[in-house]
Amino acid sequence: MMGIRAAGKTDVGCVRKHNEDSFLVDEALGLFVVADGLGGHAAGEVASRIVVETVARFVGETLEKDRTWPLEYDPSLSYDGNRLKAALLLSDQAIGEDIRRHPERETMGSTVVAGLVHGTTVTLAHVGDSRAYVLGPGGIRQITRDHSWVAEQVANGILTPSEARVHPFRNVITQALGNGGELDIEIQNLDLGKTDRLLLCSDGLSGMVSDPQILDIVEGTQDVQSAVDSLISMAREQGGEDNITAVLVARSEDEK
Ligand code: CA
């Protein structure tokens, strides 16, 4: 049986008073989630927690295909793709419902990146600037495209990637769960090679630690928990300007 090894950690960082990030590591479901809440005054942490809980519940309820689908089923996507897409749409609705009960949380929302791992197949869904990377002996590859203003400027050739990293608008995202806007949820599939790792993270990691530094740390240890701990430590050492979250997933060695 091929198993997976995974670890996750979140840290408030060195500047912020609250940690508005949430994450989930569920090896049994093969489900891994990072959500970065927005809205301040404790609302952001509510939003990111709603996302993690809603995704975990829906994915847990849809192990079998014999369920009435709560939303439109997209035949162009795999079953796992539909599970993640529906889970994110339900998270969006759940934040909206919470805002109706608590109008003081009006501005809250959340990014999300979620991975569902079955065997060697990874299905990814994301909204906002939380990222998924695949790392291996061949290097580090960013899988998700940020839904952010600076990423659009880079795509249009107006900013370079290094200008985007330090741009004053680098934190402006173009879509989020719960803010009432139209959602364009991206679903992707990829194969996880034997020595590959999947990293999900909030921008408090990717904004503080460069891709080559992330690769060095992850390739430097077999132990996923110590790699995650080192990633968080380096983000803190390099400023820790935002909440920092990392989830690392590897295929386990005991393949039979
Ligand atoms: Ca953040």
Side-chain angles (χ1 to χ4, degrees), residues 16 21 36-38 111 129-130 171 202-204 242-244:
R16 303 278 176 94
D21 289 359
D36 178 350
L38 323 155
T111 73
D129 63 356
S130 296
N171 296 320
S202 64
D203 66 335
D242 197 355
N243 307 142
I244 311 149

